[in-house]
Amino acid sequence: MGDTSHETGTDPIVVALGGNTLLGAHGLGSIDEQLEIIARTARQIAGAIQAGYDVVLTHGNGPQVGNLLLQQEGVSETPELPLDVLVAETQAQIGYLLQQALDNELTDSPDFITVVTQVIVDPDDPAFQHPTKPIGPFYTESEAAEKSFETRRVATGDRPYRRVVPSPEPVELVEGEELTRLVERGNLVITAGGGGIPVVRDGALRGVEAVVDKDKASQLLASELDADTLVILTDVEFAYVNYDTPDQRPLCRLSPEELRAHLDAGEFGEGSMQPKVEACVRFIEQSGERAVITSPEYLMDALAGETGTQVRA
Amino acid sequence: MGDTSHETGTDPIVVALGGNTLLGAHGLGSIDEQLEIIARTARQIAGAIQAGYDVVLTHGNGPQVGNLLLQQEGVSETPELPLDVLVAETQAQIGYLLQQALDNELTDSPDFITVVTQVIVDPDDPAFQHPTKPIGPFYTESEAAEKSFETRRVATGDRPYRRVVPSPEPVELVEGEELTRLVERGNLVITAGGGGIPVVRDGALRGVEAVVDKDKASQLLASELDADTLVILTDVEFAYVNYDTPDQRPLCRLSPEELRAHLDAGEFGEGSMQPKVEACVRFIEQSGERAVITSPEYLMDALAGETGTQVRA
């Protein structure tokens, strides 16, 4: 597939990769495990590109940014960098591994480029007073109690606790115009990783200590690029209501109004499926055509409308 | 200055930023010191852009990648990533801070974008058997003797030792075509940071544990982009022969042949000025018009040909 096939003027699709499509168990797998998981995900993405979809990629960074934070706190010899700089680092850490895996799948196509991306947030966002975004490793209750930072129960099982940081709403992508031009000109782009680097614009741009939700940032990116489809890839084929209970039920095709009703009824896991569903609803409300939640192995079938949670206006 | 003023078809100039134009003392300054130094450097770069130069930026990463290595080795809880991934992280760490500082200076211009860049090296490069590239903090002789990694005396003074890693020759930029298109289309780009992420191409792309010299990578980038000028910014106004001795003498205007003779006579510091001079000579030998070594505060004067070490065919 040559360069020109990307310059067809079709609307792009934005594919957002969840942590589990990139990493081993809870972000603590070895680099070899990571490379294997990323290669598997890249194969699915490459399939969609070879089928003619103009894919723009974005990804989460919760475990990775948490690891960087722990590492710099564990060593007194080196200066500590603020969270916005660490989010930047994860954009290249993950973007590099993804672009390399994709280049290896798509040998006849132009190379993917990873673009460092800042996202504007509101300095008065109430999230700065109420940290909710889980990052880094999972802890037991007693481990969590010993930490010097704020932790919260975000899962079930033996290790349900994680560090939490503020997660303000993304308002605007600083590099939005440049990204739009890159995508229009046929570049294969990885962008807005980890929700984007959180900055405020008070006279000048300035980084702030937060991690923006990657699903919300993916929706902003998809709307900004006038994408027709937003695909959120995670570890399940469908979004479910009453997940992990006897009443569990997959959601197949539904309207944003129906999905909004499930959201309002609190039927999704707060740190996991809820932001994904919210991003899908917002995308359609802001004139997107279709939003899909599924897992990487079902990507092609989901793009064909045959599986996954499909949301349409 | 609007978007169109960049699409004039003039040849770009590549500006390579040395560690001291980005960081406080030996890479151990606080983030506030870093932000101040970067803002000062960005002001000089912005001046050149406002004067009409099509600037492509690149930068070193020695202290930063060394810090990341120390941090991950100091914490057992998180997985260790190989050196290529850490180089990637520094591209976004430094690229982000630079692009933000430049965006703040150039409010009427399109935003800078930082592109994660892989560079191909030869798996049989003898450098893999002989680590020479200094990274990370500086140590005293006794501190160095206690380290579990290879160190080498690379400077004078109380703390002359640093960790050394392999530094193979850069052969090709993986994203070279994409970068050429971006620059031709008027994007302001930060690329090939830290010498590029070292990869080999044996069937597929694969990262390797090394740090490519940023001056050599900057030359490769400048030649690949058909830049007419390569500017290497460091902490001195000129390259000197017999630096820091009573016979110290600045080099002003000279031919690549004259400069090559000084190189062959071993008149430059091996880990500091020697690779910069080598990069300048190679750039002219490979059909570049002009190479310049100076410090950020003399950038505009040096572009006007009025100061700095000026090398022309």
Side-chain angles (χ1 to χ4, degrees), chain A residues 19-24 29-44 97-98 100-101 105 296:
Chain A
N20 57 292
T21 69
L22 302 167
L23 270 180
S30 70
I31 181 69
D32 289 334
E33 287 176 69
Q34 280 189 49
L35 289 172
E36 202 184 307
I37 295 170
I38 287 177
R40 211 181 305 146
T41 299
R43 227 165 286 140
Q44 305 299 332
L97 293 173
L98 267 174
Q100 185 175 83
E105 290 294 326

Side-chain angles (χ1 to χ4, degrees), chain A residues 15-83:
Chain A
V15 178
L17 301 173
N20 57 292
T21 69
L22 302 167
L23 270 180
H26 288 175
L28 299 177
S30 70
I31 181 69
D32 289 334
E33 287 176 69
Q34 280 189 49
L35 289 172
E36 202 184 307
I37 295 170
I38 287 177
R40 211 181 305 146
T41 299
R43 227 165 286 140
Q44 305 299 332
I45 308 287
I49 292 168
Q50 283 160 337
Y53 290 98
D54 287 335
V55 172
V56 177
L57 270 186
T58 183
H59 59 82
N61 74 344
Q64 294 89 341
V65 76
N67 287 347
L68 288 176
L69 209 47
L70 284 174
Q71 287 169 1
Q72 75 169 9
E73 284 166 356
V75 175
S76 59
E77 198 175 348
T78 56
E80 288 198 14
L81 299 172
L83 196 47

Side-chain angles (χ1 to χ4, degrees), chain B residues 26-102:
Chain B
H26 289 176
L28 298 177
S30 70
I31 181 69
D32 289 334
E33 287 176 69
Q34 279 189 51
L35 289 172
E36 201 183 309
I37 294 169
I38 288 177
R40 213 181 305 146
T41 299
R43 226 164 288 140
Q44 305 298 332
I45 307 287
I49 293 169
Q50 283 160 336
Y53 289 98
D54 287 336
V55 172
V56 177
L57 269 188
T58 182
H59 59 82
N61 75 344
Q64 295 89 341
V65 75
N67 287 347
L68 288 176
L69 209 48
L70 284 175
Q71 288 170 359
Q72 74 170 7
E73 285 166 354
V75 175
S76 59
E77 197 177 348
T78 56
E80 287 197 15
L81 299 173
L83 196 47
D84 55 311
V85 180
L86 302 187
V87 170
E89 291 178 18
T90 65
Q91 290 188 344
Q93 177 195 120
I94 301 163
Y96 157 56
L97 294 173
L98 267 173
Q99 83 188 57
Q100 185 175 85
L102 286 158

Side-chain angles (χ1 to χ4, degrees), chain B residues 57-256:
Chain B
L57 269 188
T58 182
H59 59 82
N61 75 344
Q64 295 89 341
V65 75
N67 287 347
L68 288 176
L69 209 48
L70 284 175
Q71 288 170 359
Q72 74 170 7
E73 285 166 354
V75 175
S76 59
E77 197 177 348
T78 56
E80 287 197 15
L81 299 173
L83 196 47
D84 55 311
V85 180
L86 302 187
V87 170
E89 291 178 18
T90 65
Q91 290 188 344
Q93 177 195 120
I94 301 163
Y96 157 56
L97 294 173
L98 267 173
Q99 83 188 57
Q100 185 175 85
L102 286 158
D103 290 351
N104 285 337
E105 289 293 326
L106 295 163
T107 48
D108 294 332
S109 143
D111 292 310
F112 260 87
I113 57 173
T114 300
V115 176
V116 174
T117 313
Q118 306 172 78
V119 65
I120 308 242
V121 301
D122 181 345
D124 298 324
D125 193 307
F128 286 108
Q129 309 308 319
H130 304 283
T132 56
K133 170 75 186 171
I135 63 169
F138 289 69
Y139 302 109
T140 63
E141 184 164 3
S142 63
E143 283 169 347
E146 282 166 19
K147 298 297 175 190
S148 59
F149 44 77
E150 190 163 343
T151 60
R152 217 176 124 178
R153 177 186 285 270
V154 295
T156 52
D158 283 352
R159 310 179 75 83
Y161 285 86
R162 286 177 87 184
R163 183 175 199 154
V164 286
V165 296
S167 187
E169 291 285 316
V171 176
E172 185 196 334
L173 296 169
V174 173
E175 293 79 16
E177 279 180 44
E178 286 73 22
L179 289 167
T180 301
R181 271 204 299 275
L182 291 183
V183 171
E184 281 173 0
R185 286 164 173 175
N187 284 105
L188 292 167
V189 178
I190 300 169
T191 180
I197 306 165
V199 299
V200 296
R201 193 182 333 244
D202 48 4
L205 296 172
R206 180 172 56 79
V208 288
E209 302 248 13
V211 175
V212 173
D213 181 83
K214 82 101 174 46
D215 297 305
K216 290 179 181 171
S218 304
Q219 179 268 312
L220 185 68
L221 173 70
S223 295
E224 174 104 19
L225 293 177
D226 253 331
D228 57 25
T229 303
L230 168 64
V231 181
I232 296 183
L233 294 184
T234 181
D235 55 350
V236 284
E237 186 179 352
F238 299 95
Y240 293 85
V241 287
N242 303 314
Y243 187 62
D244 232 4
T245 73
D247 297 329
Q248 171 176 315
R249 186 168 61 84
L251 298 173
C252 296
R253 288 159 186 277
L254 65 180
S255 70

Side-chain angles (χ1 to χ4, degrees), chain A residues 9 32 38 55 60 76 88 95 130 166 169 171 173 192 197 228 230 238 245 260 265 268 275 292 305-306:
Chain A
D32 289 334
I38 287 177
V55 172
S76 59
H130 304 284
E169 292 285 316
V171 176
L173 296 168
I197 306 165
D228 57 25
L230 169 64
F238 299 94
T245 73
R260 173 69 72 196
F268 303 107
V292 179
E306 288 160 13

Side-chain angles (χ1 to χ4, degrees), chain B residues 270-291:
Chain B
E270 213 183 314
S272 56
M273 194 51 80
Q274 187 267 332
K276 293 173 181 53
V277 169
E278 176 73 40
C280 289
V281 171
R282 284 192 198 181
F283 177 63
I284 306 294
E285 286 172 355
Q286 293 178 26
S287 86
E289 268 177 44
R290 176 165 72 136

